[in-house]
């Protein structure tokens, strides 16, 4: 029998199943396979009933059904399972075939796997897929990277099933070689952590500072979602705040305040440290989840240090407006930092990342999708190599317009003892990046004082290093000068 299937997908958990059904909707014939094969029958006889989806009970059977070059997509847990499947697939596939990993894999693993699979004569793609269950089914944002030669073979499928914006523009394009796709997806997730933390801080300020009920805050988020904060995360926050438990009380109040995390935010921060890029807002968002997880310690400390009166005085409507502006300004800082990180990574790993293209891929389908990303896209369209988003005229004006409210909100929250780590680190970064002179002159003096680490001088050319014998008792030898 002539092989007739366009692509195979391994891993029938929620994302895998929904991607298969999405591909089927777009006219592709998909082979479904799962390590526990009873899941294959279950899927084919239920969710995929009446579709063209074909179930396979072994990798050999799966491969025999595929047209050449064979395309096999893994939607399995990141880590060991991906390596194990790659090894098995190398035994049944042939040179020129393509292995695709659509999980949240660490980009360094994807760099390694691309090299390894290419060394066997096959092609590899590591792709970010964002949008959760609904996105996978109706149109996710897809961020593929890996072997460039594989792109033309997966492009028709990926672009067909992805979300679309504007005049049917797909939220999927080639990101770059090796681990570029997974790097961009990781950064997306870091920014997702930041956006979530920012909305949580706005909620906290309204709840504790203004004493607002979930129903009242639902109205606020509803209004925010019609303006510059229009986004998926604001939209779901609006709906969450309106949701009632079986007893008719707000469900959000019943949810334990300890956040989980699967690691992509942490990876973003680790990479930023390696790259020397201050993505302070994402870092605070990750640490805020860690603080939230210390429930027992917090309960004990709250008994000792409880803030007396966190209530803000003044016009509530004005405060809500100030909080919105603080959120917007902080969000601009977060995306500025995220783009700085991707820029540094592109340089380090030799990727030719298209900033505007990334904004477009994130414009629809993914968790951070928003009107705001449309403005970022416009900024990069005007200046593709824009160093710093803050310097774009649109964002410059936006930040200036928000500055007063932003400072007022952070200062009042600090006075009242309501934690706003993301709002305040954003402001601290802003004040740092716009300082022509920082106190690091003193820091360099300290380093040179205790360790002869040398310093540069304002009255000498950059790159010339000096050492002072600060105490008169040190030696003449300075330590070597390097920056990690
Ligand atoms: C997406 C999401 C997704 C992520 C979850 C859970 O783009 O669809 O980013 O990939 O896995 O949001 O992440 P945490 O458990 O780390 O919050």
């Amino acid at each position: 029998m002539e092989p007739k299937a366009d692509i195979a997908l391994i891993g029938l958990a929620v994302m895998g199943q929904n991607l298969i059904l999405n591909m089927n909707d777009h006219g592709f014939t998909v082979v479904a396979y799962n390590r526990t094969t009873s899941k294959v029958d279950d899927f084919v006889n239920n969710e995929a009933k009446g579709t063209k989806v074909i179930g396979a009970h072994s990798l050999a059977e799966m491969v025999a059904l595929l047209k050449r070059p064979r395309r096999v997509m893994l939607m399995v847990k990141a880590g060991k399972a991906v390596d194990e499947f790659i090894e098995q697939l190398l035994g049944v596939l042939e040179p020129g075939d393509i292995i695709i990993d659509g999980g949240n894999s660490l980009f360094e693993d994807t760099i390694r796997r691309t090299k390894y699979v290419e060394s066997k004569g096959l092609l590899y793609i590591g792709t970010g897929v964002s949008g959760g269950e609904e996105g996978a089914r109706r149109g996710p944002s897809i961020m593929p990277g890996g072997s460039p030669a594989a792109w033309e073979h997966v492009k028709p499928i990926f672009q067909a099933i992805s979300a679309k914006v504007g005049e049917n523009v797909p939220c999927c394009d080639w990101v770059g070689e090796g681990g570029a796709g997974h790097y961009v997806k990781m950064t997306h997730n870091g920014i997702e952590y930041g956006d979530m933390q920012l909305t949580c801080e706005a909620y906290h300020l309204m709840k504790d500072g203004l004493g607002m009920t979930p129903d009242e805050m639902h109205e606020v988020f509803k209004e925010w979602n019609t303006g510059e904060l229009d986004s998926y995360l604001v939209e779901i926050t609006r709906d969450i705040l309106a949701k009632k438990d079986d007893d008719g009380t707000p469900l959000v109040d019943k949810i334990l305040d300890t956040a989980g995390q699967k690691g992509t935010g942490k990876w973003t921060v680790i990479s930023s440290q390696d790259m020397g890029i201050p993505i302070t807002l994402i870092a605070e968002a990750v640490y805020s989840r860690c603080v939230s997880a210390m429930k027992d310690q917090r309960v004990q400390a709250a008994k000792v240090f409880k803030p007396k009166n966190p209530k803000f005085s003044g016009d509530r409507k004005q405060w809500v407006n100030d909080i919105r502006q603080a959120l917007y300004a902080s969000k601009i800082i977060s995306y500025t930092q995220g783009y700085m990180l991707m820029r540094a990574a592109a340089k380090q790993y030799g990727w030719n990342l298209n900033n505007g293209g990334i904004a477009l891929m994130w414009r629809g389908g993914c968790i951070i999708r928003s009107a705001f990303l449309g403005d970022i896209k416009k900024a990069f369209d005007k200046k593709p190599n824009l160093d710093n988003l803050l310097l774009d005229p649109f964002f410059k004006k936006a930040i200036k317009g928000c500055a007063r409210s932003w400072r007022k909100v952070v200062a009042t929250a600090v006075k009242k003892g309501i934690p706003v780590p993301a709002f305040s680190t954003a402001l601290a970064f802003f004040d740092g990046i716009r300082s022509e002179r920082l106190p690091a002159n003193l820091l360099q003096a300290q380093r040179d004082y205790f360790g002869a680490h040398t310093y540069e001088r304002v009255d000498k050319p950059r790159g010339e290093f000096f050492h002072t014998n600060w105490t008169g008792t040190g030696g003449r030898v300075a330590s070597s000068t390097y920056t990690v």
Side-chain angles (χ1 to χ4, degrees):
M1 197 178 65
E2 193 59 23
K4 55 179 179 187
D6 298 297
I7 187 166
L9 194 144
I10 299 177
L12 297 180
V14 63
M15 291 295 282
Q17 288 198 9
N18 283 302
L19 281 176
I20 292 174
L21 295 173
N22 186 352
M23 288 173 185
N24 178 78
D25 284 353
H26 285 86
F28 299 105
T29 304
V30 191
V31 188
Y33 176 75
N34 196 78
R35 203 169 355 205
T36 311
T37 48
S38 59
K39 272 201 168 181
V40 176
D41 300 323
D42 219 37
F43 177 57
V44 171
N45 295 323
N46 292 286
E47 290 86 354
K49 204 180 162 104
T51 68
K52 289 195 295 175
V53 176
I54 310 167
H57 294 87
S58 70
L59 290 180
E61 188 192 337
M62 179 192 86
V63 166
L65 287 160
L66 289 169
K67 291 180 202 159
R68 284 187 166 85
R70 302 183 185 96
R71 293 167 282 209
V72 179
M73 183 161 185
L74 298 169
M75 288 303 294
V76 299
K77 194 166 173 236
K80 228 172 83 196
V82 177
D83 286 313
E84 285 170 3
F85 269 115
I86 289 174
E87 220 37 67
Q88 291 180 43
L89 285 169
L90 288 174
V92 287
L93 293 173
E94 288 170 0
D97 290 343
I98 302 157
I99 300 176
I100 306 155
D101 169 23
N104 267 333
S105 290
L106 180 60
F107 74 97
E108 282 147 328
D109 285 341
T110 305
I111 292 175
R112 169 179 58 78
R113 288 170 185 148
T114 306
K115 280 194 195 130
Y116 177 61
V117 171
E118 284 179 349
S119 77
K120 304 281 177 190
L122 284 79
L123 301 172
Y124 193 76
I125 287 193
T127 183
V129 179
S130 176
E133 181 179 350
E134 189 61 19
R137 183 70 187 87
R138 307 274 162 225
S141 160
I142 309 179
M143 300 151 241
S147 315
W151 176 226
E152 61 170 309
H153 300 290
V154 298
K155 186 176 172 180
I157 302 180
F158 280 10
Q159 293 199 333
I161 65 163
S162 75
K164 309 285 183 303
V165 288
E167 285 167 18
N168 217 25
V169 183
C171 294
C172 168
D173 207 348
W174 182 247
V175 178
E177 292 187 23
H182 273 138
Y183 197 93
V184 167
K185 174 59 164 65
M186 177 192 78
T187 308
H188 162 282
N189 279 29
I191 291 176
E192 170 187 306
Y193 274 52
D195 279 357
M196 292 170 82
Q197 177 63 24
L198 289 172
T199 43
C200 288
E201 289 180 17
Y203 157 78
H204 199 177
L205 290 166
M206 286 191 267
K207 181 168 156 286
D208 288 6
L210 305 178
M212 290 172 74
T213 64
D215 280 337
E216 287 170 326
M217 289 184 276
H218 158 78
E219 291 301 328
V220 170
F221 278 96
K222 189 168 156 188
E223 197 196 313
W224 287 1
N225 201 40
T226 60
E228 76 276 347
L229 293 176
D230 174 358
S231 61
Y232 173 69
L233 284 168
V234 166
E235 182 188 316
I236 66 167
T237 307
R238 172 198 73 192
D239 296 349
I240 289 166
L241 290 165
K243 185 85 179 160
K244 303 289 185 285
D245 201 3
D246 294 341
D247 63 3
T249 61
L251 178 57
V252 69
D253 290 341
K254 303 248 181 89
I255 297 176
L256 190 71
D257 53 331
T258 61
Q261 49 184 319
K262 295 210 176 92
T264 45
K266 180 183 81 177
W267 292 346
T268 318
V269 178
I270 293 173
S271 173
S272 80
Q273 297 275 351
D274 286 339
M275 225 70 73
I277 298 296
I279 52 159
T280 61
L281 195 141
I282 296 174
E284 284 294 354
V286 174
Y287 292 135
S288 297
R289 290 197 190 191
C290 301
V291 174
S292 82
M294 298 172 165
K295 180 75 180 176
D296 295 343
Q297 287 187 50
R298 287 194 286 118
V299 170
Q300 283 185 26
K303 285 184 191 132
V304 185
F305 300 113
K306 196 155 184 62
K308 287 266 171 341
N309 175 23
K311 293 278 174 304
F312 295 179
S313 55
D315 179 37
R316 190 196 258 200
K317 220 171 153 193
Q318 180 57 47
W319 267 118
V320 169
N321 193 35
D322 290 329
I323 295 169
R324 176 181 57 77
Q325 295 197 52
L327 171 48
Y328 184 46
S330 304
K331 192 170 156 116
I332 294 173
I333 298 296
S334 183
Y335 283 68
T336 298
Q337 295 181 339
Y339 267 95
M340 280 177 165
L341 178 66
M342 289 190 290
R343 200 180 161 78
K347 202 163 161 211
Q348 166 107 354
Y349 296 102
W351 300 324
N352 184 19
L353 295 185
N354 170 356
N355 294 322
I358 293 168
L360 183 67
M361 273 183 264
W362 291 351
R363 176 76 187 79
C366 64
I367 304 295
I368 64 170
R369 62 183 180 261
S370 63
F372 178 75
L373 277 157
D375 297 326
I376 295 182
K377 168 87 174 71
K378 279 186 209 147
F380 285 119
D381 281 347
K382 269 186 277 160
K383 206 168 173 199
N385 279 327
L386 182 69
D387 266 344
N388 182 332
L389 212 51
L390 286 177
L391 301 180
D392 169 74
F394 175 86
F395 289 110
K396 189 170 77 185
K397 190 163 167 234
I399 282 273
K400 283 189 171 177
C402 293
R404 243 180 115 88
S405 295
W406 192 12
R407 288 186 190 283
K408 178 180 157 192
V409 168
V410 171
T412 311
V414 169
K415 254 194 219 157
K416 296 288 184 181
I418 300 177
V420 283
F423 279 17
S424 50
T425 195
L427 186 53
F429 174 82
F430 175 67
D431 284 334
I433 202 80
R434 73 188 183 122
S435 295
E436 202 180 320
R437 196 157 161 83
L438 284 169
N441 50 332
L442 175 59
L443 193 136
Q444 285 295 78
Q446 291 166 337
R447 291 177 70 234
D448 191 55
Y449 188 112
F450 63 67
H453 294 294
T454 74
Y455 54 87
E456 292 169 277
R457 295 179 59 100
V458 293
D459 51 1
K460 297 282 181 200
R462 290 294 308 264
E464 249 186 84
F465 291 88
F466 299 86
H467 168 56
T468 295
N469 185 350
W470 296 89
T471 57
T473 57
R476 286 180 307 112
V477 183
S479 79
S480 60
T481 301
Y482 61 92
T483 294
V484 290

